[in-house]
Amino acid sequence: MSGIALDTSALTEPVSRADVRAFTARLRREGKLTSIVITAIGIVVIGGILLVAAVLMASVVSFGLLADNGRPSPIGIGFLLFFVAVIALVVYALVVLFRGRATRRYRLARFAAANGLTWIPAVSSPDLPGMIFALGRDREATDVVRGSLGRPLAVANYSYKTGSGKNEQTHKWAYVELRLDTPLPHIVLDAVGNNGLFGMSNLPTTFGRDQRLSLEGDFDRYFALYCPRGYERDALYLFTPDVMARFIDNAAAVDVEIVEDRLYLYARRELSTTDPAVWEWIAQTVDAIDDKLGQWARWRDERLAAEAAGAAAPPVSGSAVASPVPLLTPPPVGVAREGRRLRRGFSWITAVFVVLGVGWWLLTILFGR
């Protein structure tokens, strides 16, 4: 491993409030503080204003109701002091929130610049091929750090929403994206260590179990590997024992997806953060994986060569059979259609909960009369 050293001093060193305010003002002038960043702040501000107004109204009402012979009663004064304290706390919380978010943005931007990277506040509905990027609505990548650490990469936090009303849910993820040297078959490594109850996968998508491939050694203790049917030999070529060891040692706590010419590491905690330890882990993991990705660049899908040969074969004329095109040239770069995406499946645990839920609903109808 060549070793990737990051300068993380900008994440922790003291910063000037004046510099933070100037940086925030520049972002506003450039139109970069938009989308979910402004939306979240707006919701907090409006909520705080409404809360303060409600507290003031309650204070006035209680002061008047508890007056004694035209004079404020001790209880009324106590209520007033209490509500004043609540207002002060709300204002203080808003100040801390705004200042904290602004300082975080400033630190991340300086950290990115110090390491030859670029920081972007937010990207709405990022057009990426990973499994988490086509789900739900209000999709947003925030604190996106892009650049190169040996190879092109991006690190960001990500969220999307599903449901509506009382059933609305916000799903939060974070990812590291690495660009590969060549498109590869769709392969998913579902980390065993972050699974939920009864070993239920935390991934938002379930894949057909007939696509699961068992590998040698202890790999299955750390990851469940899924690859398209017919690509088992290709997966074994890509995940040699030394490659498996790198993933076990460095990425066993996250889920991995290989799709097209991208490799994604998925986590349910923030990865674009002001915590230096997280960035050091990212650098170490990227370095360890990148050291073995070079051998993947030689992979070619032989199915594409066969398809090209069939398409290029001249038509048969009369009784003379045309000679097939020889497969002496290397296969073209790319992945045949059957290997580009895994086939979706369903979780039997989810099915059991659905059946139990329907059964309970029927029982309440039958015996609730």
Side-chain angles (χ1 to χ4, degrees):
M1 292 185 290
S2 59
I4 297 175
L6 290 177
D7 179 2
T8 60
S9 59
L11 299 174
T12 56
E13 64 186 11
V15 297
S16 165
R17 291 185 182 179
D19 292 338
V20 173
R21 287 195 294 267
F23 177 72
T24 302
R26 179 166 63 85
L27 290 178
R28 290 199 180 101
R29 288 195 304 269
E30 296 173 353
K32 293 181 179 179
L33 279 185
T34 57
S35 193
I36 198 170
V37 177
I38 293 297
T39 301
I41 294 177
I43 291 174
V44 172
V45 171
I46 293 173
I49 292 174
L50 292 176
L51 178 60
V52 170
V55 169
L56 286 173
M57 183 177 295
S59 300
V60 173
V61 172
S62 63
F63 191 87
L65 290 178
L66 296 174
D68 185 13
N69 295 325
R71 297 179 180 179
S73 69
I75 297 178
I77 294 175
F79 268 101
L80 181 60
L81 293 176
F82 170 76
F83 287 128
V84 168
V86 170
I87 293 172
L89 286 174
V90 170
V91 173
Y92 175 76
L94 290 174
V95 171
V96 170
L97 174 64
F98 294 154
R99 184 177 297 167
R101 292 183 65 91
T103 302
R104 172 193 171 93
R105 291 193 295 265
Y106 180 68
R107 290 186 184 279
L108 283 172
R110 292 186 62 211
F111 161 76
N115 292 279
L117 305 171
T118 302
W119 170 83
I120 302 172
V123 177
S124 179
S125 299
D127 185 17
L128 299 173
M131 72 175 81
I132 68 173
F133 301 109
L135 302 174
R137 67 181 189 283
D138 297 335
R139 300 185 288 270
E140 193 88 9
T142 56
D143 289 327
V144 183
V145 176
R146 292 175 177 168
S148 177
L149 294 180
R151 68 174 60 241
L153 93 163
V155 181
N157 305 317
Y158 181 76
S159 66
Y160 63 89
K161 293 181 180 180
T162 57
S164 60
K166 295 181 179 180
N167 296 321
E168 183 177 274
Q169 184 177 2
T170 299
H171 306 264
K172 294 185 177 181
W173 290 84
Y175 65 89
V176 177
E177 178 193 67
L178 285 175
R179 295 298 293 265
L180 303 176
D181 300 311
T182 187
L184 294 175
H186 192 195
I187 294 175
V188 169
L189 306 182
D190 184 2
V192 174
N194 60 22
N195 285 344
L197 189 64
F198 305 117
M200 189 173 181
S201 173
N202 73 325
L203 290 176
T205 302
T206 302
F207 302 101
R209 296 192 63 81
D210 59 339
Q211 300 170 109
R212 181 169 177 178
L213 176 64
S214 179
L215 299 182
E216 62 182 27
D218 295 334
F219 195 76
D220 290 355
R221 291 174 49 194
Y222 298 92
F223 293 103
L225 185 148
Y226 295 88
C227 70
R229 293 289 301 273
Y231 281 80
E232 293 82 3
R233 188 180 66 173
D234 303 273
L236 293 175
Y237 170 82
L238 297 172
F239 285 88
T240 54
D242 57 334
V243 173
M244 287 190 288
R246 292 295 173 91
F247 276 91
I248 291 174
D249 293 340
N250 297 278
V254 296
D255 301 295
V256 183
E257 181 180 22
I258 300 167
V259 55
E260 298 178 9
D261 62 344
R262 320 286 176 94
L263 183 147
Y264 291 100
L265 306 177
Y266 297 126
R268 299 306 294 264
R269 60 189 178 95
E270 286 192 344
L271 293 180
S272 187
T273 173
T274 55
D275 184 354
V278 174
W279 286 104
E280 289 166 1
W281 170 82
I282 291 173
Q284 175 185 347
T285 302
V286 168
D287 186 39
I289 294 175
D290 181 62
D291 193 47
K292 293 298 179 182
L293 293 185
Q295 63 194 63
W296 288 6
R298 298 189 295 271
W299 178 85
R300 294 293 183 270
D301 194 340
E302 296 178 354
R303 299 158 188 81
L304 289 178
E307 292 176 1
V316 177
S317 177
S319 60
V321 180
S323 299
V325 175
L327 295 179
L328 299 179
T329 58
V333 174
V335 183
R337 181 180 55 82
E338 57 267 29
R340 294 172 189 166
R341 290 293 186 274
L342 285 163
R343 183 171 49 80
R344 302 293 178 89
F346 69 95
S347 170
W348 67 268
I349 297 178
T350 302
V352 168
F353 278 109
V354 170
V355 171
L356 290 176
V358 172
W360 177 259
W361 176 70
L362 291 175
L363 288 175
T364 56
I365 292 177
L366 292 175
F367 294 98
R369 295 179 178 178

